[in-house]
Amino acid sequence: MNETNRRNERYNEYVKSVTPSTSTLKSLLNSFWIGGLTCLIGQIIFDLYKWIFPQLDATNITNFTSMTLISVAILFTGLGFYDVIARRGGAGSFLPITGFANAISSASLEFKTEGLIFGTSVKMFSVVGPVVVNGIFWSTVAGIIHLIISGLML
Amino acid sequence: MNVKTLHKGNNCDFLFKDKMPEFLSKHEYTRQTIFFNNPPSIVGKMAVGGCKEGDGPVGKYLDKVHCEDKIGEKTFEKAEIDMLTEAATGAIKSSGIKKEDVDLFIAGDLLNQITSSSYVARDLGIPYAGIYSACSTMSEGLALASMMLNAGYFDNILCATVSHFATAERQYRYPLEYGCQRPPYAQWTVTGAGATLLSRGGNGPKITGATFGKVVDWGTNDLNNMGASMAPAAMSSLIAMFNDTGTEPDDFDLILTGDLGKLGSDILRKLMSEAGYPLGQNYIDCGNMVYGIDQKCYQGGSGCGCSATVVNSYVLDKVISGEYKKVAYFATGALMSAQSCYQGETIPCISHGVIIEA
Amino acid sequence: MLENLLTYLIVFASGGLFCVIAQLLIIKTKLTPARILVIFLLSGIFLQAIGVYEPIYSVLKAGISVPIIGFGAALAKGAITYAHQFGFVGAFAGGLIQTAFGVGVAVVASFLVTLIFSPKSK
């Protein structure tokens, strides 16, 4: 067994040494400008809404901004060019909220063939599930801890 | 019985080094390889590919190229079934044998419960044996069919396999429209189907031997780096075949592996030369040749359609035209599922091979 | 005007920088995108919980709120405010209430898009 493990280890090391890695600088640069641009567009939309609807407060405008970004990303996914951008952008296109939208809509599109109930509805969160579940769980924990600490302070 | 005792132990290589002994050439098997005394011939073949494969280096050898991904169907799975049906019926037609005379249909694909093959078998109306060996399904099918034909149980057996980029992507990776970056060592599942009709009589290239592989796992667990996982399996089966037949790599006009891709075939070359069987110019890999460098398919093609289309178009054409006299076709398959990898298992791989002679 | 330009520059640079960190994680550690998303999400929740998200946001603006960190921060903000408002049970509802706009539109728009379009093989 030991012999096998040693061979496997050696082989894995060898494979690692010959496997080409992503060209670091180029992919970092791509994710930088695509990610940066997405955020910049978000800020521009935010400022635009603030200018059009001066009576609204910042929270609502933030919500509208992310709604707009999400809708546009989903439309791009449907038209089939979000993944073309993403192949270039890498983290630059999955880290912003648009990547979240793309993950939901791509899964929902993919499983359309099994029907709207058993396909789309069941599998919609198959890719983005970890984010939603962990987000809800840990934010609840954060809320409870906050409550306990503030209770202790009193 | 005598033969078997002779083969105990590993230091009896001298038996085969010079020439294959007379008794071995008939209906015998050594450790992993079978030799056929009544070798079946390949009488019909057909290869169907997608658009990307049609643009590739072997594109001009394909019998049919579909540029529409769904071939007018509602789902990619239906398109896959259509392609396999087309390849299967085309292979029967090209042989001139009547459909009723085909005794058995051996097929497999990459989808869960090999549904595509089973649905095709439903419509073909030929007795059916479904097999699964991931990307080495085609060579496993050819090996099994050759054994059955050699034994005389059947007269004509149709072997076929199919894979589709969109259906494999959904099953093993992410949704199609999901924006994810593939690492540069990833491979691209071939959209294509290949079918071969083997016959007990008839003219055509003969399958003279078959090697069944062992499951080899050298502890790699990267789902994207299939070539590196499968190279040891290919090495294991190739060495078994060279040992059993007493041949060297140079004795073959062409040594063909399934879908190791560029990286995997480089690793295989290195492994084989370390094992004492350096592969020369006569070694090529189907995954490496199915796409051109400019097609941005990373390390090349994968999937069971990969070697099936290349073998049933380019390779067999060259064998029939006489350019290649002796071909060793060793397709490799990775026998994992998406779940087994998430559960921390490493990737078990296998390689089955057949020897095709003109 | 100059101030606006400076804001945009900061947004672009900081947003890009977060993505570069994520990309570095992919290349160097072979973590899958899903895990990286969760890591950034949790860091957003953490920043909000210890109360430093708001000051950072006032400087980086969309540079931190558009990446998934902002989503995490919004979840945590909701959970914390509702916990203070309604007590213990509020923590369970707050996160979802705060992010309901985004998640709601994502689900509805995805469903609508699914009715119209189909995925394409590349």
Side-chain angles (χ1 to χ4, degrees), chain C residues 8-21:
Chain C
Y8 287 149
L9 204 68
I10 289 171
V11 166
F12 181 77
S14 57
L17 217 58
F18 284 121
C19 296
V20 164
I21 294 168

Side-chain angles (χ1 to χ4, degrees), chain B residues 324-336:
Chain B
Y324 297 137
K325 294 268 186 296
K326 196 174 181 191
V327 175
Y329 163 43
F330 278 72
T332 45
L335 304 174
M336 83 299 165

Side-chain angles (χ1 to χ4, degrees), chain A residues 27 32 36-37 39 43 47 63 74 78-79 83 91 94-95 97 104-105 108-109 112 131 135 138-139 146-147 150, chain C residues 8 11-12 16 19 23 26-27 37 41-42 49 61-62 66 68 79-80 83-84 88 101 106 110 113-114 117-118 122:
Chain A
S27 76
F32 179 78
L37 197 67
C39 296
Q43 184 64 37
D47 288 349
N63 281 333
I74 289 174
L79 293 170
D83 64 319
F94 79 68
L95 197 64
I97 198 76
I104 291 191
S105 56
S108 114
L109 273 169
K112 180 186 178 180
V131 172
W138 290 107
S139 68
H146 239 258
L147 202 61
S150 64
Chain C
Y8 287 149
V11 166
F12 181 77
C19 296
Q23 183 75 9
I26 294 185
I27 298 172
L37 278 180
L41 182 87
L42 294 186
K61 294 211 160 34
V66 170
I68 202 84
I80 291 165
H84 283 291
F88 182 68
F101 289 92
S110 294
V113 158
T114 305
F117 299 103
S118 284
K122 301 298 148 182

Side-chain angles (χ1 to χ4, degrees), chain A residues 2-152:
Chain A
N2 241 340
E3 189 73 18
T4 324
N5 282 345
R6 258 206 304 277
R7 182 204 60 198
N8 290 356
E9 233 167 69
R10 263 210 321 276
Y11 183 65
N12 270 318
E13 259 165 45
Y14 167 68
V15 167
K16 212 174 161 190
S17 72
V18 289
T19 303
S21 60
T22 321
S23 78
T24 314
L25 199 69
K26 204 175 145 201
S27 76
L28 289 184
L29 215 65
N30 274 334
S31 60
F32 179 78
W33 77 260
I34 290 179
L37 197 67
T38 313
C39 296
L40 185 60
I41 292 170
Q43 184 64 37
I44 292 171
I45 293 172
F46 182 90
D47 288 349
L48 213 62
Y49 280 157
K50 213 158 109 184
W51 183 62
I52 300 171
F53 311 107
Q55 72 277 20
L56 288 176
D57 65 346
T59 322
N60 275 330
I61 295 178
T62 311
N63 281 333
F64 288 169
T65 308
S66 57
M67 281 166 86
T68 313
L69 282 174
I70 287 170
S71 315
V72 171
I74 289 174
L75 189 67
F76 275 24
T77 309
L79 293 170
F81 37 80
Y82 194 88
D83 64 319
V84 180
I85 305 169
R87 216 167 296 156
R88 211 165 237 271
S93 53
F94 79 68
L95 197 64
I97 198 76
T98 49
F100 175 85
N102 166 250
I104 291 191
S105 56
S106 65
S108 114
L109 273 169
E110 181 72 31
F111 294 97
K112 180 186 178 180
T113 47
E114 277 88 339
L116 287 176
I117 302 295
F118 284 104
T120 295
S121 313
V122 172
K123 299 280 178 68
M124 190 178 267
F125 286 87
S126 63
V127 180
V128 89
V131 172
V132 175
V133 172
N134 281 291
I136 292 173
F137 182 82
W138 290 107
S139 68
T140 306
V141 170
I144 291 170
I145 290 175
H146 239 258
L147 202 61
I148 293 170
I149 290 175
S150 64
L152 289 179

Side-chain angles (χ1 to χ4, degrees), chain B residues 48-354:
Chain B
V48 182
C51 212
K52 210 160 182 156
E53 291 70 30
D55 292 336
V58 293
K60 59 177 180 287
Y61 296 96
L62 296 176
D63 298 299
K64 186 83 189 277
V65 173
H66 286 293
C67 262
E68 217 247 308
D69 283 316
K70 288 191 178 167
I71 324 181
E73 292 284 359
K74 259 181 153 171
T75 64
F76 292 118
E77 282 78 5
K78 279 217 171 69
E80 193 174 316
I81 292 168
D82 277 8
M83 279 200 303
L84 186 57
T85 312
E86 197 175 8
T89 50
I92 298 174
K93 203 176 274 172
S94 77
S95 69
I97 290 171
K98 277 195 295 230
K99 198 172 116 184
E100 297 75 48
D101 295 334
V102 179
D103 304 309
L104 187 64
F105 176 52
I106 299 180
D109 53 80
L110 290 178
L111 299 190
N112 286 335
Q113 287 85 32
I114 52 170
T115 44
S116 301
S117 310
S118 307
Y119 284 126
V120 171
R122 173 188 69 183
D123 299 336
L124 276 179
I126 301 172
Y128 161 66
I131 54 171
Y132 177 80
S133 181
C135 317
S136 64
T137 304
M138 192 70 203
S139 58
E140 186 184 4
L142 289 175
L144 287 172
S146 306
M147 281 162 59
M148 294 171 182
L149 291 168
N150 185 60
Y153 292 122
F154 299 104
D155 287 326
N156 303 301
I157 299 181
L158 180 65
C159 302
T161 180
V162 67
S163 63
H164 195 298
F165 172 74
T167 59
E169 199 65 12
R170 159 205 284 223
Q171 178 162 330
Y172 291 98
R173 295 184 190 93
Y174 294 108
L176 277 177
E177 299 292 345
Y178 179 55
C180 58
Q181 218 172 16
R182 284 151 192 278
Y185 47 83
Q187 282 171 278
W188 192 274
T189 308
V190 167
T191 304
T196 314
L197 185 62
L198 296 176
S199 177
R200 202 135 67 96
N203 292 319
K206 304 238 184 275
I207 294 184
T208 55
T211 305
F212 285 95
K214 295 175 185 166
V215 174
V216 177
D217 186 341
W218 280 21
T220 56
N221 58 3
D222 191 341
L223 262 178
N224 279 316
N225 201 349
M226 296 274 80
S229 310
M230 296 191 289
M235 180 193 76
S236 154
S237 296
L238 277 171
I239 289 178
M241 190 272 290
F242 289 139
N243 268 330
D244 293 345
T245 57
T247 49
E248 300 272 330
D250 288 340
D251 296 337
F252 292 89
D253 296 314
L254 185 69
I255 297 169
L256 196 67
T257 51
D259 53 352
L260 297 178
K262 195 181 168 313
L263 175 67
S265 52
D266 286 347
I267 292 174
L268 180 64
R269 269 180 202 279
K270 161 109 172 148
L271 289 174
M272 289 300 280
S273 67
E274 271 181 12
Y277 293 96
L279 299 169
Q281 288 286 320
N282 57 350
Y283 165 65
I284 53 170
D285 179 71
C286 297
N288 203 359
M289 64 190 288
V290 70
Y291 296 122
I293 301 165
D294 54 325
Q295 283 181 295
K296 292 196 177 147
C297 292
Y298 315 96
Q299 297 296 327
S302 70
C304 47
C306 176
S307 65
T309 48
V310 175
V311 165
N312 282 303
S313 56
Y314 171 79
V315 175
L316 283 179
D317 278 354
K318 297 275 176 180
V319 172
I320 290 167
S321 73
E323 197 170 320
Y324 297 137
K325 294 268 186 296
K326 196 174 181 191
V327 175
Y329 163 43
F330 278 72
T332 45
L335 304 174
M336 83 299 165
S337 73
Q339 284 86 348
S340 74
C341 268
Y342 286 132
Q343 289 167 1
E345 280 281 359
T346 50
I347 303 171
C349 297
I350 199 161
S351 172
H352 300 297
V354 290

